[in-house]
Amino acid sequence: MSIIKVLLEACHTLPSPLSPLWKMTSDQSSLGRCPNCSEEIPRAWMLIEYETADGTTDNWAECLACDTVVSPE
């Protein structure tokens, strides 16, 4: 059995409290634009969303045009 198959099976059997962490979204709304190339970044490409020290929410996403991880603007 390949390591990829083992990992994929493990993701599908995560305990309930962790399941939302691994759920991908099909939401097509925009997170904003790439600060490097100005390409629009769909919500589906968000990698992480977090709360900042001042209580606001920010995120990191993959820009497919630049092939890099950015904080959309």
Side-chain angles (χ1 to χ4, degrees), residues 15-36:
S16 183
L18 295 178
S19 296
L21 298 175
W22 297 96
K23 186 174 135 185
M24 292 187 67
T25 178
S26 61
D27 185 356
Q28 292 302 311
S29 62
S30 175
L31 291 172
R33 297 207 170 266
C34 174
N36 299 330

Side-chain angles (χ1 to χ4, degrees), residues 1-2 8 12 15 31-32 34 49 51 53 58 61 64 71:
M1 182 179 291
S2 73
L8 288 175
H12 292 290
L31 291 172
C34 174
E49 185 175 52
E51 187 175 323
D58 205 354
L64 295 179
S71 180

